[in-house]
Amino acid sequence: MQGNSCCGASNSKIKDEKWVSLEGILEKFRGKKGALIPVLQQAQDLYGYLPENVMAGIADGLDLPLSQVYGVATFYSQFHLKPRGKNIIRVCLGTACHVRGAAKILESIQKEINVEKGGTTEDLQFTLEPVACIGACGLAPVIMINDDTHGRLTPEAIPQILEQYKNN
């Protein structure tokens, strides 16, 4: 860290609680082999995603090139570089769900929350993620919202299901 605090603190910004927490995470992992992924995981838990300035702070704090931090963050699908919604909607597009109408379910969700695949609503309530398989083929077509599984869906059921998660 070349003697400076991480995360842009050297540019005279006032540190908030998250910056202080990130500095603590970096201190705990500094000098340890294989620290980058756990640091990225904890930083994402802290911020909800990995903002550019946080990745720069991690690079500085672990004395790594920013390109390496960015490369790892973009390689693994568990890391997100944009803010995500409070409610993550995963729509199964696997074979069983596909043949039972998953495309219509996805279309209904897109219409209801006005978001494209992979997008997040402006109010950060929902993020829509198509996935290859949820592993609940007997319930096809199926979606997961956070940790809740909803199966044997019809497009008409979508508005009522989503309503349960709005503003929660």
Side-chain angles (χ1 to χ4, degrees):
M1 269 202 331
Q2 298 117 357
N4 293 330
S5 295
C6 83
C7 319
S10 62
N11 66 7
S12 75
K13 283 187 180 180
I14 297 172
K15 294 187 256 180
D16 64 13
E17 279 184 44
K18 288 182 182 177
W19 290 115
V20 172
S21 295
L22 182 59
E23 287 176 328
I25 292 166
L26 288 166
E27 189 61 38
K28 184 170 92 176
F29 284 96
R30 187 169 294 112
K32 293 185 179 173
K33 205 169 179 74
L36 181 54
I37 289 176
V39 168
L40 287 170
Q41 288 168 328
Q42 289 184 32
Q44 183 168 277
D45 287 345
L46 189 61
Y47 287 89
Y49 72 110
L50 294 170
E52 218 173 285
N53 62 334
V54 169
M55 287 194 291
I58 290 169
D60 184 42
L62 296 179
D63 198 26
L64 297 170
L66 179 56
S67 60
Q68 183 178 352
V69 174
Y70 184 80
V72 170
T74 56
F75 179 80
Y76 292 102
S77 63
Q78 69 175 300
F79 296 121
H80 306 284
L81 305 185
K82 294 180 183 172
R84 293 167 43 87
K86 182 177 167 186
N87 300 292
I88 309 301
I89 305 169
R90 292 177 181 88
V91 181
C92 182
L93 299 178
T95 304
C97 290
H98 174 75
V99 300
R100 293 190 178 148
K104 296 276 189 209
I105 301 302
L106 178 60
E107 186 179 298
S108 179
I109 294 169
Q110 289 175 300
K111 181 180 174 190
E112 191 67 25
I113 64 173
N114 194 29
V115 141
E116 291 299 313
K117 293 185 268 187
T120 298
T121 57
E122 286 184 26
D123 63 2
L124 297 178
Q125 278 293 308
F126 297 101
T127 294
L128 179 58
E129 295 181 342
V131 296
C133 185
I134 288 177
C137 302
L139 298 176
V142 65
I143 65 172
M144 284 188 73
I145 302 178
N146 306 325
D147 294 326
D148 303 328
T149 302
H150 302 272
R152 297 189 179 100
L153 297 172
T154 63
E156 297 77 26
I158 296 303
Q160 184 179 359
I161 291 169
L162 294 179
E163 191 61 38
Q164 299 171 42
Y165 296 89
K166 289 183 179 170
N167 302 316
N168 286 340

